[in-house]
Amino acid sequence: MLRAIIEEVLLFVLPFCIFAGYLVIKRRNPFDVEHWSRHVFALAVVGFLLAIAVLIYGGFIAPRSKGVYEPPHMENGVLVPGRFK
């Protein structure tokens, strides 16, 4: 679960990192608020949309089990794990 949260946070932060790299390439100070003030909202929206798009994409390509789920149960005193039939 922690991995999924970290992935989404990194996807949200990615546009900010790319913009900071752009500022460095243009030889501007990435720590100067003047360069960020006009772009923060757009970067946040792009990061949010990127994170949501990856969640939706992952939902479409996730492996799906076909069949009926049989929950864990006891057979002859032995616990049989849940499975798809």
Side-chain angles (χ1 to χ4, degrees), residues 2-82:
L2 182 62
R3 181 187 64 104
I5 293 171
I6 290 173
E7 286 176 355
E8 297 306 317
V9 169
L10 290 177
L11 285 170
F12 179 76
V13 173
L14 182 65
F16 294 94
C17 295
I18 291 172
F19 185 69
Y22 168 76
L23 290 176
V24 169
I25 289 171
K26 288 291 192 176
R27 297 186 188 265
R28 296 180 184 160
N29 184 3
F31 298 110
D32 191 4
V33 176
E34 173 186 319
H35 301 301
W36 289 89
S37 60
R38 292 180 295 158
H39 305 286
V40 169
F41 180 73
L43 291 170
V45 169
V46 169
F48 179 73
L49 291 176
L50 182 63
I52 295 298
V54 169
L55 278 174
I56 292 171
Y57 176 73
F60 280 121
I61 66 164
R64 303 274 186 247
S65 297
K66 301 217 184 320
V68 178
Y69 179 71
E70 181 182 305
H73 61 280
M74 298 291 286
E75 281 184 12
N76 299 327
V78 178
L79 180 63
V80 177

